[in-house]
Amino acid sequence: MAKATTWSKPVSKALRADGVQVKDLNTAATPGFKGDKKAGEKYLEERRAVLSDLQEKLYANGRSGDTRNVLLVLQGMDTAGKGGIVRHVIGSVDPQGVDHAAFGVPTAEEKKHHFLWRIRKQLPKGGQIGVFDRSHYEDVLVVRVHDLVPPEVWGKRYDEINKFERKLADEGTTIVKVAMFVSLDEQKKRLAQRLERADKYWKFNPADIDERAYWPAYQEAYQAVLDRTNTDYAPWFVLPCDSKWYARLAVTELLIDALQGLKLDWPPADFDIEEQKRRLARA
Ligand code: ADP
């Protein structure tokens, strides 16, 4: 059975951010998983099917008026593999049930508003899995590292974020936050690939090379995020991403866990089944 070669402990425990030191992180590790790449890829196929079933249940309940939803927040440096998670994990569920939002440099319009303004507009509706590819955390990461606003402004944002997420959770959103890390060496390899392969040029941004010089500052900024916004209602999971297969499998498990936590059932029929069978027989 596949079970024997899978997890030595639940991934939600293995990756929980409590006490993690970003600068000491082993980004090549595969915490909690007992198998190798081959076993991981095989197991991912099974788990994608489980995720897909659970997501369909969430969607069905949403269609029947359940307002609960799930929000997956993906944060990570360039090349950490956010796009791969979206394609390979989120890609295994029905796209109708997914609210995907990517957050880049704020537009002129967005800059006029509070940093959570553009975030609020993209929150998932009932029955949906929301996916944030970058998020409100950019406002205490890139913004902090590059002094885009004064420290007294970004300094207040941690508490604002906690308050915002508390309210979201209270209103029925299960929040899963994933901080994705690759090593500087692995990032260099992935950037080099983008310069070698025609199918990867589109992903290359010359500014990504400049950002490498800020690595220690980003590590510090990520540490502050983990120290100050890792809450029970919106926990952070720290994901080592040098192994893409592991990152994809782990996020699949985190979503399965979040959906199972909702204890979903199929919504009951809102019509008389026997009557409809009789009508169909006559039709
Ligand atoms: P990606 O690099 O993920 O493919 P984009 O090129 O569209 O996506 O934009 C991402 C860039 O936007 C990143 O450099 C990120 O740091 C930046 N960004 C995101 N949010 C903010 C923000 N609130 N303030 C400044 N820059 C931001």
Side-chain angles (χ1 to χ4, degrees):
M1 267 299 285
K3 283 273 171 294
T5 54
T6 56
W7 298 97
S8 58
K9 64 162 133 172
V11 72
S12 54
K13 285 213 167 63
L15 298 183
R16 200 47 216 266
D18 308 30
V20 166
Q21 291 302 307
V22 173
K23 65 176 179 18
D24 300 333
L25 197 68
N26 175 6
T27 56
T30 58
F33 192 71
K34 291 199 277 176
D36 56 7
K37 178 176 178 184
K38 196 160 164 249
E41 285 176 344
K42 187 159 173 272
Y43 190 51
L44 178 60
E45 282 317 303
E46 272 176 50
R47 301 304 279 167
R48 278 161 57 108
V50 173
L51 176 61
S52 174
D53 279 355
L54 284 162
Q55 181 272 336
E56 194 181 346
K57 256 187 201 162
L58 178 71
Y59 184 74
N61 279 279
R63 291 288 298 262
S64 303
D66 192 334
T67 57
R68 292 176 302 167
N69 54 57
V70 172
L71 175 61
L72 175 68
V73 173
L74 298 174
Q75 269 301 149
M77 301 279 291
D78 296 300
T79 75
K82 299 185 297 294
I85 298 290
V86 172
R87 274 193 309 282
H88 296 273
V89 179
I90 304 304
S92 47
V93 309
D94 185 344
Q96 307 189 77
V98 176
D99 271 341
H100 175 267
F103 297 96
V105 176
T107 62
E109 170 77 8
E110 286 168 350
K111 280 189 187 136
K112 286 192 219 146
H113 293 85
H114 186 269
F115 76 102
L116 292 173
W117 180 76
R118 65 174 182 164
I119 305 294
R120 286 200 172 93
K121 290 203 298 183
Q122 304 271 15
L123 290 170
K125 311 268 180 313
Q128 298 279 321
I129 296 180
V131 181
F132 282 0
D133 179 342
R134 303 183 189 272
S135 67
H136 40 301
Y137 285 97
E138 291 290 330
D139 291 279
V140 285
L141 289 167
V142 65
V143 166
R144 171 176 167 153
V145 167
H146 289 288
D147 295 321
L148 300 181
V149 301
E152 52 281 15
V153 175
W154 58 252
K156 288 197 196 102
R157 291 181 174 168
Y158 301 95
D159 290 343
E160 285 183 77
I161 288 173
N162 285 336
K163 209 168 135 202
F164 168 68
E165 291 180 347
R166 163 105 248 180
K167 185 155 179 280
L168 264 188
D170 286 347
E171 288 168 358
T173 297
T174 301
I175 305 169
V176 180
K177 302 186 297 199
V178 181
M180 302 172 63
F181 295 97
V182 283
S183 67
L184 257 187
D185 282 351
E186 180 65 24
Q187 188 192 51
K188 195 169 202 169
K189 265 191 228 151
R190 292 184 185 182
L191 288 173
Q193 256 192 5
R194 291 182 182 180
L195 292 170
E196 291 298 328
R197 286 174 44 179
D199 62 332
K200 301 247 181 198
Y201 295 157
W202 68 276
K203 290 192 193 180
F204 185 79
N205 176 357
D208 293 349
I209 296 178
D210 304 319
E211 284 299 272
R212 287 171 59 78
Y214 293 91
W215 197 265
Y218 271 107
Q219 286 186 326
E220 227 173 85
Y222 269 98
Q223 190 66 51
V225 161
L226 299 183
D227 291 344
R228 300 190 59 183
T229 65
N230 180 32
T231 58
D232 287 343
Y233 48 87
W236 273 109
F237 298 97
V238 175
L239 185 61
C241 290
D242 286 5
S243 298
K244 290 181 183 174
W245 64 267
Y246 175 80
R248 292 166 189 175
L249 179 59
V251 176
T252 304
E253 297 292 357
L254 289 173
L255 284 175
I256 288 174
D257 210 50
L259 287 162
Q260 283 175 338
L262 296 178
K263 305 203 182 323
L264 297 163
D265 240 322
W266 291 108
D270 58 1
F271 47 83
D272 182 331
I273 300 165
E274 292 312 315
E275 182 194 337
Q276 295 305 318
K277 282 185 183 166
R278 281 194 299 275
R279 284 188 60 226
L280 182 62
R282 286 197 302 270

